[in-house]
Each structure stands twice: as C-alpha cells, then as structure tokens.
Amino acid sequence: MKLLIVDDEPLARQELERLLGRYDDISSLKQAANGKEALEILQQESFDTVFVDIRMPEMDGIELVASAGNKSLFVFCTAYSQHALEAFDLNAFDYLLKPVNPSRLDQVIAKVRLALADKSYHGQQEKAASVEQLPESHGFLLKFGHDYRIVRLQDVQRFEAVGNHVAVHLESEKSFIQSSLSRLEEKLDSNVFFKASRSDIVRVDAIAQVEEGMSTGSLMLMLKNGQEIEVSRRQVQALKKQFSL
C-alpha cells in the first residue's frame, strides 16, 4: 500500500507514521504539511490511501478531498466527536478520532485492504454494490464561511448539481459537498425527495405550488423559500403521478 499523511501538526504526522509502521504491507509512506502541498503531491503520483486532518490553514481536509477527486481512499483524522462524524460518508472512506487509537487504526487498515482487493470498488467508488437510504436525522458536515456546522437532512430543501459538487440548499443559505447528484439520489427516499431534472432534487414538503412552465407541457416548482425549479420534460409525468395532477 502507498499511503500519504496530511496534517499541519508535525507531532501528529510523526505519531500516525509510527502507528502505521506496524503494518508490513505498506510499501511507501509520505507526509505533507498542509492541503496545498498534499494536492501537489497527489497530482504527481497516486496513493492508495490518504490520511488527512480536517482543520488545516489555507486548504482544509474537506477542500483537499474535493479538489483531489476520488482516485484515493481518504480517511479523515479529526478531533470531532463520533456523533458528528456520521456526516462524512459522502466525503470520505472512513475516519479516525484524535488521538488515534491503535485498535481503531487496525479496523481502518483492514477495511482499506478489503477495498483495495475489491476491484469493483477501487477506483469506482460511486458504483457501490449496496446503498443504504439516509434517514432524515442524517447529518452533513458543511462549511459556511470559515466555520463548520452539522446540517440534518430534514433541513435540506434542495440538492443542486454544480460541476463535480452538489450544492446543499437550506431555507436561506447553502453549502457544498463533494459528490455526484446521481450518487446522492440513490441514498434519498423518493417519497421525500423528487428529482426535478438532472440538476435538481427537491424536498417534496418544500414545494409551495406547481405552475405551468414557459414551454408547452413544462412545469415549474415554486419552493417555500422563493426558489423556482424547472421540471424537465421527462420528469413531468412522474411529478403529476406523485401529486395526482
């Protein structure tokens, strides 16, 4: 295995490297002192797994994962509580709480080995064989300005595809996660969320009214927060069926 440790704290990097030294199947182990340095390294060579701290100056761990893509398995290393870390399943492969517990690291390494052995997973993480539906209480760790906040699925009004990110719209603000809209759609309850188009998935309860669109046969969703979402032609019938129109 080729591994990369990314942390702005030298002692944290050294301790994790010491713990990883217990595994005989690690062929290469490098370090990066910040997100930008790690991104440069990842652009030059590939790694099986990247252990990355969340809070770092300039480019934090979540921004690094978003910029680097999903060629590697990313493991977040953080001081966040386990309760908060339920949010990370759309952002990373796994997580470690600081200070790192050797037994917990054993579990992560075992999981990494299985993932690397499974070619249907490695390099194709969006094609997971089994997808569990997210409960309304599921939390997303989102960045607003310089701060992070846990946002529950029940508070999300709309998901919008924006490049290789998904914008998570709340009633009056939004943030972003690194995911594809199609991958996220697989995890959502179709009775709670409606796919209006290739670019938009909206919460059914957030729809205030449905109006005729500008073009013949089209429809427009008027959300309670004032947003207007066009329903694609292929989804018009699905919407009419769901609302008995």
Side-chain angles (χ1 to χ4, degrees):
M1 290 186 292
K2 290 185 63 178
L3 308 182
L4 176 65
I5 299 172
V6 187
D7 200 310
D8 62 320
E9 298 179 5
L11 291 179
R13 296 197 305 272
Q14 293 169 14
E15 174 62 11
L16 184 53
E17 181 172 1
R18 184 187 70 81
L19 292 173
L20 289 170
R22 299 177 298 143
Y23 307 108
D24 295 333
D25 53 346
I26 295 178
S27 58
S28 175
L29 182 58
K30 291 189 176 182
Q31 295 185 13
N34 54 64
K36 287 188 175 180
E37 180 183 336
L39 186 58
E40 292 177 0
I41 294 174
L42 289 169
Q43 289 172 341
Q44 296 174 5
E45 59 182 303
S46 60
F47 291 83
D48 296 309
T49 306
V50 180
F51 292 87
V52 56
D53 185 27
I54 291 182
R55 285 197 177 277
M56 295 184 291
E58 295 188 57
M59 176 180 284
D60 61 35
I62 293 178
E63 291 169 332
L64 171 62
V65 174
S67 300
N70 57 1
K71 294 180 181 179
S72 304
L73 303 177
F74 286 89
V75 177
F76 281 139
C77 301
T78 178
Y80 281 106
S81 68
Q82 187 168 352
H83 177 68
L85 285 163
E86 68 185 74
F88 295 165
D89 70 330
L90 288 176
N91 303 80
F93 177 73
D94 210 330
Y95 66 88
L96 287 167
L97 291 176
K98 291 182 176 181
V100 176
N101 182 297
S103 297
R104 171 62 181 144
L105 182 58
D106 287 343
Q107 294 176 358
V108 171
I109 292 297
K111 185 177 176 182
V112 167
R113 287 168 177 154
L114 287 174
L116 295 178
D118 183 0
K119 294 182 181 180
S120 66
Y121 181 93
H122 185 47
Q124 302 181 51
Q125 293 140 353
E126 293 199 0
K127 296 182 179 180
S130 60
V131 180
E132 293 185 8
Q133 212 167 71
L134 298 178
E136 284 283 83
S137 61
H138 176 82
F140 295 95
L141 181 67
L142 302 180
K143 189 174 184 180
F144 297 89
H146 297 292
D147 299 320
Y148 290 96
R149 197 165 80 233
I150 298 295
V151 172
R152 300 296 168 184
L153 180 60
Q154 62 198 25
D155 297 320
V156 177
Q157 306 291 300
R158 169 191 173 204
F159 292 103
E160 176 192 13
V162 182
N164 63 345
H165 293 70
V166 171
V168 182
H169 292 262
L170 308 181
E171 185 171 354
S172 58
E173 55 187 341
K174 69 177 179 180
S175 185
F176 297 87
I177 58 175
Q178 168 74 12
S179 179
S180 67
L181 195 67
S182 59
R183 179 187 177 194
L184 183 60
E185 181 188 7
E186 293 177 342
K187 294 173 172 282
L188 299 176
D189 186 343
S190 60
N191 294 314
V192 178
F193 287 91
F194 173 74
K195 185 176 182 181
S197 67
R198 292 181 178 178
S199 300
D200 285 288
I201 297 176
V202 301
R203 174 175 290 277
V204 173
D205 289 347
I207 301 173
Q209 60 189 62
V210 181
E211 298 183 354
E212 294 292 335
M214 296 294 292
S215 57
T216 304
S218 66
L219 294 175
M220 188 74 70
L221 301 179
M222 316 300 291
L223 304 189
K224 294 176 182 178
N225 64 3
Q227 293 183 341
E228 299 181 2
I229 310 299
E230 184 176 4
V231 181
S232 66
R233 289 181 178 273
R234 64 183 300 175
Q235 289 299 98
V236 166
Q237 292 303 318
L239 179 67
K240 290 183 175 180
K241 181 179 180 180
Q242 186 156 350
F243 284 89
S244 301
L245 296 177

